[in-house]
Structure formats: C-alpha cells, structure tokens
Amino acid sequence: MPGEDGKGPKGGVAGTGRGRGGGGRGLGRGAGQGRRDGSGAGLSNYCICPDCGEKTAHKRGIPCFEQQCPKCGKAMILEGI
C-alpha cells in the first residue's frame, strides 16, 4: 500500500463490500441472504404417500423420501410436488 498508512487507493464498487481500498469497505448489505422467516423451501408441512395417499406431518430435518408410509411402507414425498 502506498505510504503504509493502511488507506491505499480507492477501488472496488461502493456499496457491495467488494474490492480494495476505501471505496468498498464496510458498505455491504448486511447479514447475508435468505428467507426472513427462516422457513426453508416453504412448500408444505406434510409428507404424502404417492401410492395410498396417507398424509403425515413432515419431520424437520428428515426428507420425506426417507420416511416410510405407516400404511403401506412406501417412500413418502413432500406434499405439493
């Protein structure tokens, strides 16, 4: 950096938090991207059996296709797909 004072040349795009120098420093958008409510895909709260139609509550963190239908034992799918 010129003069070793830590300022350096202006560079980057203002407001994006990218680039070198004072132009793009500290002016980013904030805490990242994503849904404000943190609800993920937001499609459904139920898993449904494609064969017999049995409907069960979707268990958070476990994909529907890894759950077995309580009636017929087939793999479930997320409702609405």
Side-chain angles (χ1 to χ4, degrees), residues 42-66:
L43 293 175
S44 175
N45 290 325
Y46 295 97
C47 298
I48 192 164
C49 178
D51 288 346
C52 71
E54 179 70 10
K55 191 175 180 180
T56 61
H58 176 72
K59 296 174 185 144
R60 187 174 183 173
I62 303 173
C64 288
F65 65 84
E66 290 183 1

Side-chain angles (χ1 to χ4, degrees), residues 13-78:
V13 179
T16 64
R18 297 181 188 149
R20 292 189 286 168
R25 198 182 309 154
L27 300 174
R29 292 189 145 176
Q33 299 175 0
R35 294 170 98 46
R36 290 179 188 249
D37 60 3
S39 64
L43 293 175
S44 175
N45 290 325
Y46 295 97
C47 298
I48 192 164
C49 178
D51 288 346
C52 71
E54 179 70 10
K55 191 175 180 180
T56 61
H58 176 72
K59 296 174 185 144
R60 187 174 183 173
I62 303 173
C64 288
F65 65 84
E66 290 183 1
Q67 298 181 42
Q68 291 184 339
C69 175
K71 280 189 176 179
C72 68
K74 301 283 183 173
M76 307 281 279
I77 62 170
L78 186 62

